[in-house]
Structure formats: structure tokens, C-alpha cells
């Protein structure tokens, strides 16, 4: 299939139109989307991405369809991993939940721009230097190794204190507080940068680093720039809604990094095999092609899907994953109950909340100590919340606790 300037133009117009719609329909007015809103729009964007792949089948480009779907699934998986970092950054800066949508949309737009630049650069390099696939393969293998090292050692980089943040703080005076979703504010008549802009700088900087991994990964599945761009663009569409939908689930995907390491390692090997097949380096086989078996894109798609399914299922069913679910729910149920007591919930709401506290507290007591030590960052603070809810639950509630007149 030939991808003419007209096709590129229509595709770009569709992508830009979706981004503008997302901004004006959902992000312009600051709010925290409900689970239902996030679920509906996540499903819509995923459906659009899958339907777009059918266009390749309609015109008879079956290879293009397979490459597109393989690229989309890989980039989507990497995008979900990016959400972990976005979550850490926004938690580090204490971004108000109602303003997180704007930060995420900025991250998506910046990621799309950065990755488009890398896509065009990659296509240009490939056209003049086919041996660049060796470099792409090495990058992915090193990235896979770093993911495994991080999981095995527990070393975490401070994503909210990267070089871009330090540079921004030195150049521009910064306040310690937010002013709505404004990027700049005035303090004593002096124009200053708010933490909101710092958050966007942090996410923009990490987007550039992510592009260094994701673009070589998808070029390992297809060398067609149009397919690379569309698979990458559609993988980023709906990422904002997905963030709010799986916010509580992200932490439970405890083996996702292992799965991504396997996928990146697999694609890295695939790239190395392709590089050997296209070899022109004089110190390898005298600059001649090396006859090695290459991995078909269809098989790559099956491997990627299988690894992701196994990773998610293993994360949710593993003892550590179940323990994390209990720990999170025990804390959340306790906070919900305490909030109801403070705000004045109805007796029915309080009874249901107390029942939830009882249920999750009992399950928490059965969690092995090794999982509690590994999964609870601030043990004393965590237990204080559970104990507060337990203490309130077992005393007689007074009328003022319920926020209304005495009930007869």
C-alpha cells in the first residue's frame, strides 16, 4: 500500500481533531472524571484504534494490518508502564486530582510530538544506514536489562527530580503552591512559575526518555513510518482516561515490568536477527548478509499478547498481588468510613462502611508479614489509619458524629 501525502494529511487531521475534542470536551473544565466516564472513553479510544487497523484489511494490506496491531499492542503496553511514572511524578508534586487531566493531556501531546520527531529521524537513518538495527537492538536489550535490574534490586529513580526540573528551577522563580491550573502566578507583584509547570516539565522530560525506547521497539516490528506513527499515536489516545480507570489497578500489576522486559528483549533479539540478515558491517561475515531465521510479525504479535496476558493474570493471582489488593482496600475502606463519620453520613452508609472496614481489616490480619513489610511504605502511618477507623467503629456514635439531629 502506498501512503500518499493525502493519506498522511487526513490521518494527521484526525489525530489533531481527537486531541482538540479531548481538550474542549473533557479537560478544559477541571474535574476528576468518574470511573464510568473513564471506562466509556477508554473503550471508545481502544475501539477506534482497533477499527483503524481494519482499514489495512479493507484495502488488502494484510501484512500492514498485522504490523499495525503488533505495534499498537506493544506501544500500548509501554504507555501503561509510562502511567506508573506519571503517577509517581504527580504524587511527588501533590497535583490536585481535578487538575491531573490537563497534565496528562499535555504529556500525551508532548509524547506524540517527541515520538513523531524520533519516527521521522529513525526513518531517515534507516534509509541511509540499515545497520542501525544493531543499535536499536542493543538499546532494547539494555532497556530490558535495566527493567529487570530495577525489579530485582528495588532501585527507583526519582522521576520528579530529573535534569529538566533542576534546570527549570534555576532559571525561573518558582512558588511552593498551586494557583488552580495556572502555569504562572503573581506573588507580591512578582511573576513566578507554579508547580503545575514543573510537573509538565518533568513529564515532558520523561516522555523524551520513553521515546528512546518505544521507537526502536516498534521499528523492530515494522519499518513503514506511517504504520509506526499511527500505531504510536493511537496507543497514546485515551491514555488520560485509562489513567483514571486503572489508577487503583496500576500498583497491582506487580509483574508488568518483567513482562515488558521480556517483550523488549524479544524485540531486541528480533532486531539483531534482522540486522544480521541485512548486514553490511565489514567485520561481520565480511560485510555479507548472514543467513539467520527471522521472526515473522504474526508470531511477534502472538508472543507479545501471550506475555501481556500471562503478566496481568500472574500479577492479579500471585500471593503478593492479592496481598497488595487487601492492603489497599483495608486502607481505602478505613478512610471512607472516617470521612463518612466526619461529614455526617446516614446510618445505612455508616453500617455498610463499618462492614467493609471489618471485612478488610480481618483479611489484612491474615496477610503474611513479609508482604506487609514489602508493600507498606510507611507502616506506622498506615496502621494509624486502620486503628482510627477501628476505634471510631467501636464507640457509640453521638448525634453530632452523624452530622444531624438525633435519630429516634
Amino acid at each position: 500500500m502506498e501512503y500518499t501525502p493525502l493519506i498522511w494529511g487526513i490521518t494527521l487531521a484526525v489525530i489533531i481533531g481527537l486531541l482538540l475534542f479531548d481538550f474542549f470536551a473533557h479537560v478544559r473544565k477541571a474535574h476528576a472524571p468518574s470511573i464510568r466516564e473513564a471506562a466509556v472513553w477508554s473503550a471508545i479510544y481502544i475501539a477506534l484504534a482497533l477499527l483503524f487497523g481494519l482499514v489495512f484489511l479493507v484495502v488488502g494490506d494484510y501484512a500492514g494490518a498485522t504490523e499495525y496491531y503488533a505495534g499498537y499492542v506493544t506501544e500500548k503496553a509501554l504507555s501503561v508502564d509510562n502511567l506508573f511514572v506519571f503517577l509517581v511524578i504527580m504524587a511527588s508534586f501533590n497535583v490536585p486530582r481535578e487538575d491531573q487531566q490537563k497534565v496528562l493531556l499535555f504529556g500525551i501531546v508532548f509524547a506524540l510530538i517527541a515520538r513523531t520527531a524520533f519516527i521521522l529521524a529513525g526513518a531517515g537513518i534507516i534509509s541511509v544506514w540499515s545497520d542501525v538495527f544493531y543499535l536499536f537492538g542493543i538499546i532494547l536489550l539494555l532497556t530490558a536489562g535495566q527493567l529487570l535490574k530495577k525489579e530485582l534490586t528495588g532501585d527507583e529513580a526519582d522521576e520528579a527530580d530529573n535534569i529538566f526540573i533542576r534546570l527549570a528551577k534555576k532559571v525561573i522563580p518558582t512558588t511552593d503552591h498551586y494557583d488552580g491550573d495556572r502555569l504562572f502566578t503573581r506573588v507580591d507583584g512578582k511573576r513566578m512559575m507554579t508547580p503545575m509547570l514543573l510537573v509538565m516539565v518533568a513529564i515532558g522530560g520523561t516522555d523524551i526518555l520513553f521515546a528512546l525506547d518505544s521507537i526502536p521497539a516498534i521499528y523492530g516490528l515494522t519499518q513503514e513510518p506511517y504504520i509506526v506513527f499511527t500505531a504510536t499515536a493511537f496507543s497514546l489516545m485515551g491514555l488520560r482516561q485509562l489513567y483514571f480507570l486503572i489508577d487503583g489497578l496500576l500498583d497491582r500489576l506487580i509483574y508488568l515490568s518483567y513482562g515488558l522486559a521480556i517483550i523488549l528483549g524479544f524485540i531486541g533479539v528480533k532486531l539483531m536477527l534482522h540486522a544480521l540478515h541485512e548486514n553490511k558491517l565489514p567485520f561481520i561475515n565480511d560485510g555479507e548478509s548472514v543467513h539467520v531465521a527471522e521472526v515473522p510479525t504474526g508470531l511477534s504479535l502472538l508472543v507479545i499478547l501471550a506475555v501481556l496476558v500471562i503478566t496481568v493474570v500472574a500479577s492479579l493471582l500471585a500471593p503478593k498481588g492479592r496481598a497488595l489488593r487487601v492492603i489497599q482496600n483495608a486502607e481505602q475502606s478505613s478512610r471512607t468510613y472516617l470521612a463518612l463519620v466526619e461529614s455526617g453520613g446516614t446510618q445505612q452508609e455508616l453500617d455498610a462502611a463499618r462492614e467493609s472496614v471489618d471485612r478488610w481489616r480481618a483479611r489484612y490480619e491474615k496477610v503474611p508479614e513479609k508482604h506487609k513489610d514489602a508493600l507498606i511504605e510507611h507502616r506506622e502511618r498506615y496502621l494509624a489509619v486502620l486503628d482510627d477507623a477501628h476505634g471510631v467503629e467501636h464507640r457509640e456514635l453521638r448525634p453530632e458524629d452523624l452530622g444531624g439531629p438525633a435519630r429516634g
Side-chain angles (χ1 to χ4, degrees):
M1 180 177 174
E2 182 181 357
Y3 302 101
T4 64
L6 177 61
I7 292 177
W8 272 97
I10 293 173
T11 304
L12 288 171
V14 170
I15 298 298
I16 293 172
L18 288 173
L19 290 172
L20 289 174
F21 171 79
D22 209 17
F23 175 76
F24 286 105
H26 302 112
V27 177
R28 191 177 185 182
K29 183 179 180 181
H31 73 287
S34 65
I35 293 295
R36 183 178 182 277
E37 178 186 339
V40 168
W41 284 103
S42 292
I44 288 173
Y45 279 112
I46 291 174
L48 286 174
L50 297 177
L51 287 173
F52 182 82
L54 295 179
V55 174
F56 294 98
L57 295 176
V58 170
V59 299
D61 188 0
Y62 301 107
T66 304
E67 292 173 357
Y68 167 80
Y69 284 124
Y72 171 75
V73 172
T74 300
E75 291 296 308
K76 197 68 174 179
L78 291 172
S79 296
V80 170
D81 191 49
N82 294 3
L83 291 182
F84 279 103
V85 180
F86 290 170
L87 185 64
V88 170
I89 291 174
M90 287 194 280
S92 299
F93 283 97
N94 295 315
V95 181
R97 190 165 178 82
E98 62 271 15
D99 294 325
Q100 290 180 2
Q101 290 202 95
K102 183 167 289 187
V103 176
L104 287 167
L105 185 60
F106 167 81
I108 291 169
V109 173
F110 192 90
L112 188 56
I113 293 172
R115 295 184 190 194
T116 300
F118 278 98
I119 288 168
L120 297 176
I125 294 172
I126 290 171
S127 65
V128 298
W129 184 38
S130 61
D131 290 314
V132 73
F133 288 112
Y134 283 116
L135 179 60
F136 285 175
I138 291 171
I139 289 174
L140 293 185
L141 291 173
L142 289 175
T143 303
Q146 289 174 348
L147 281 173
L148 288 176
K149 180 183 177 182
K150 183 182 72 173
E151 288 300 310
L152 295 174
T153 63
D155 292 338
E156 295 288 342
D158 188 357
E159 302 292 351
D161 188 31
N162 58 41
I163 186 173
F164 302 100
I165 289 295
R166 294 194 294 272
L167 182 61
K169 285 182 176 179
K170 287 181 179 179
V171 173
I172 308 173
T174 309
T175 67
D176 294 326
H177 58 83
Y178 290 90
D179 186 7
D181 59 2
R182 293 181 177 87
L183 304 182
F184 292 91
T185 188
R186 288 192 176 276
V187 178
D188 298 328
K190 184 179 180 181
R191 185 176 174 83
M192 300 184 73
M193 179 171 63
T194 69
M196 181 63 72
L197 184 56
L198 286 179
V199 176
M200 292 186 175
V201 171
I203 286 183
T206 54
D207 277 335
I208 293 175
L209 299 178
F210 286 141
L212 293 174
D213 298 332
S214 71
I215 298 307
I218 194 169
Y219 267 122
L221 300 168
T222 177
Q223 282 82 61
E224 174 52 57
Y226 180 81
I227 296 177
V228 173
F229 172 76
T230 52
T232 301
F234 276 106
S235 73
L236 293 170
M237 294 291 104
L239 195 61
R240 176 184 61 78
Q241 293 88 346
L242 190 63
Y243 171 88
F244 288 97
L245 179 63
I246 64 175
D247 188 359
L249 181 62
L250 280 175
D251 288 339
R252 299 179 198 170
L253 299 179
I254 57 176
Y255 297 133
L256 179 62
S257 290
Y258 290 106
L260 290 176
I262 293 172
I263 291 172
L264 292 178
F266 169 75
I267 298 176
V269 171
K270 185 177 186 296
L271 277 168
M272 297 298 284
L273 292 174
H274 180 73
L276 287 170
H277 192 268
E278 302 291 328
N279 178 62
K280 290 183 176 63
L281 295 178
F283 52 85
I284 297 179
N285 198 34
D286 295 326
E288 298 295 327
S289 173
V290 180
H291 297 291
V292 293
E294 292 200 72
V295 182
T297 305
L299 178 59
S300 299
L301 176 57
L302 292 176
V303 170
I304 293 166
L305 288 172
V307 170
L308 287 177
V309 169
I310 292 171
T311 297
V312 172
V313 173
S315 295
L316 297 179
L317 296 182
K320 185 177 179 181
R322 294 200 302 270
L324 181 59
R325 176 171 174 264
V326 171
I327 289 169
Q328 289 178 332
N329 284 329
E331 180 182 23
Q332 183 58 46
S333 64
S334 298
R335 291 187 183 279
T336 300
Y337 179 73
L338 291 170
L340 279 172
V341 171
E342 183 178 350
S343 63
T346 65
Q347 191 63 52
Q348 183 178 6
E349 290 173 332
L350 287 165
D351 288 343
R354 280 200 300 270
E355 182 182 344
S356 179
V357 169
D358 273 343
R359 183 171 65 255
W360 288 111
R361 177 73 184 241
R363 294 184 65 176
Y364 167 79
E365 298 297 339
K366 298 177 182 178
V367 173
E369 286 298 317
K370 64 177 183 179
H371 291 325
K372 292 178 182 177
D373 292 336
L375 297 172
I376 303 176
E377 187 174 357
H378 301 288
R379 188 81 170 262
E380 292 182 3
R381 189 186 308 168
Y382 174 87
L383 288 175
V385 174
L386 267 60
D387 289 342
D388 284 347
H390 182 76
V392 171
E393 175 192 1
H394 286 85
R395 68 173 170 80
E396 184 179 353
L397 292 173
R398 299 165 299 179
E400 55 266 33
D401 292 326
L402 300 177
R407 290 170 172 81

